[in-house]
Amino acid sequence: MAAFALILLLFLAMISYSDAVYCLCNAGASERELQTNIDYACGHADCSGILQNGACYNPNTVRDHCNFAVNSYYQRLGQAPGSCNFSGTATVSSTPPSNLAPGCVYLSTPSSNNTLSPPRGTGGNTFPGTSPPAFLGPSSSTPNSISGVRMHWMLHLLMVIVSSCVIQSGLKARLL
């Protein structure tokens, strides 16, 4: 009976699992690299949330603004392979940053409009310096989705548990 409860618990955990995937800047990236990421990503995606008085303006750090910008870009491109690479200065994560301001929402699924517009100029509410750096584009062979790997291992664990239960029940039947 305990084995059945464990199997049911694992099954329910898999059902409630979220496929949320975020693109975040790496901790080891320099402020210059982070700013380059912001400039490029905001030239191609909506960064209005990190403009002054935007819902995600605070915390007002280059790293936090970079997280918002590269994630916005990544979701705008439909989580396309390589779109969260930024020359190794960003990576995918299954959790958003922990220090979000109240009211700040990070997209975790591809946005409905995932076609790129040409880079915007420096006028209006865009960021300066939006010419694309040479490093962007599909240059990473690393899978961009953590959810598929996690689901694979959860199913593997479930099969091991079920197999163990079947073997144990077979052994008990022989002993009786």
Side-chain angles (χ1 to χ4, degrees):
M1 185 64 175
F4 176 76
L6 183 61
I7 291 170
L8 181 61
L9 182 65
L10 282 173
F11 180 74
L12 291 175
M14 286 188 297
I15 289 174
S16 65
Y17 176 73
S18 171
D19 284 337
V21 179
Y22 306 89
C23 180
L24 304 175
C25 295
N26 292 337
S30 71
E31 285 211 5
R32 182 175 183 205
E33 290 170 317
L34 299 175
Q35 187 62 54
T36 300
N37 292 352
I38 293 170
D39 294 342
Y40 183 79
C42 290
H44 292 82
D46 181 15
C47 288
S48 60
I50 57 174
L51 293 175
Q52 193 168 5
N53 298 323
C56 300
Y57 179 73
N58 287 314
N60 182 16
T61 68
V62 175
R63 180 163 317 284
D64 289 302
H65 287 191
C66 183
N67 285 336
F68 184 90
V70 298
N71 186 63
S72 181
Y73 177 84
Y74 178 62
Q75 303 305 339
R76 177 86 185 263
L77 266 65
Q79 299 179 354
S83 62
C84 182
N85 185 359
F86 290 86
S87 192
T89 61
T91 190
V92 294
S93 173
S94 60
T95 57
S98 59
N99 60 342
L100 297 179
C104 176
V105 177
Y106 268 51
L107 295 174
S108 61
T109 57
S111 63
S112 59
N113 180 8
N114 59 5
T115 57
L116 281 179
S117 59
R120 297 183 297 239
T122 59
N125 63 356
T126 60
F127 289 87
T130 56
S131 59
F135 61 76
L136 290 171
S139 59
S140 172
S141 60
T142 311
N144 267 344
S145 176
I146 296 170
S147 61
V149 173
R150 188 173 289 163
M151 183 62 76
H152 167 79
W153 285 107
M154 289 178 75
L155 289 173
H156 182 70
L157 179 62
L158 180 63
M159 289 185 335
V160 168
I161 292 170
V162 169
S163 298
S164 297
C165 292
V166 169
I167 291 170
Q168 283 181 342
S169 64
L171 289 175
K172 286 181 184 177
R174 286 186 188 172
L175 294 174
L176 297 175

